[in-house]
Amino acid sequence: MAVERIALVAAAVFVMTAATGALAQLSIDPPKPTALDTVRLRYTHVGCTNSDSTQVSQQANRITVQVDRGGVAPDCGTIAGFFEDFTLGRLPAGEYEASLVVNPPPGTLGPSQLLGPIHLSVAQLAPPQRRIPTTTIRTCGGTPASRAGPSR
C-alpha cells in the first residue's frame, strides 16, 4: 500500500513537471536588441521561482540562467500569461544562445528543468549619419553658379 502511494505521488509530480515544461516558454526582451539595450530572458510559465537564487553565467556566446523553483504560494501560477524576466545585461553585437535551468527548491529532491537554448542576435549600432551641409551659390541674376568662388 505504501509503495503504491509513493508511486502515485511520484507519477503526479512527473505529470505536473511535464505539464509545466510543456507550457513554459522562453523569449527575449526586446525581441531585436542592439548593443545599447538591456537584454532580458523572459520565462512565461505556470509556477513561481525564487528570484533571490538567480545566477547568470556566460561562456563565450552561451548564456545560462539558473534559478530555484519557488515555494508553494496561494497565488503562484494562477494568472494566465504570467512571466518572469531575468536580466542578461547589455551584450556586445553578436550571436548568442541563452538557456534557463530551473532547479528544485533547496532541500528537496526533484529534477532540474532545462529550457532552451533560445537564439538571440544583438545588432551593431548604426554609425551616426553625418549630414554634409549644402549651400547653393547664386549669381547676381538669381541663377545658380556653376562653381563656387569668385569669378575670373
Side-chain angles (χ1 to χ4, degrees):
M1 185 75 156
V3 173
E4 291 174 358
R5 179 173 272 197
I6 291 172
L8 181 61
V9 169
V13 168
F14 176 77
V15 168
M16 287 175 59
T17 303
T20 300
L23 296 174
Q25 179 181 343
L26 291 180
S27 60
I28 298 297
D29 183 48
K32 295 181 180 181
T34 67
L36 286 180
D37 294 322
T38 298
V39 180
R40 292 174 182 81
L41 183 64
R42 180 163 286 177
Y43 177 37
T44 305
H45 65 107
V46 176
C48 295
T49 61
N50 178 1
S51 61
D52 294 334
S53 68
T54 304
Q55 295 179 346
V56 180
S57 62
Q58 181 177 356
Q59 291 181 340
N61 68 337
R62 294 182 169 267
I63 303 169
T64 303
V65 178
Q66 289 194 36
V67 67
D68 294 338
R69 281 189 195 95
V72 178
D75 60 346
C76 186
T78 59
I79 302 170
F82 174 77
F83 65 87
E84 294 179 82
D85 281 342
F86 302 102
T87 302
L88 304 180
R90 287 185 176 170
L91 301 170
E95 305 295 317
Y96 298 89
E97 299 287 328
S99 299
L100 176 66
V101 179
V102 182
N103 298 313
T108 63
L109 297 176
S112 291
Q113 183 180 13
L114 175 63
L115 300 162
I118 182 171
H119 181 80
L120 69 127
S121 295
V122 177
Q124 284 189 339
L125 296 176
Q129 297 208 356
R130 185 173 168 214
R131 187 172 176 177
I132 300 172
T134 57
T135 357
T136 304
I137 300 173
R138 299 198 178 266
T139 62
C140 291
T143 58
S146 59
R147 63 179 185 183
S151 34
R152 297 181 190 190

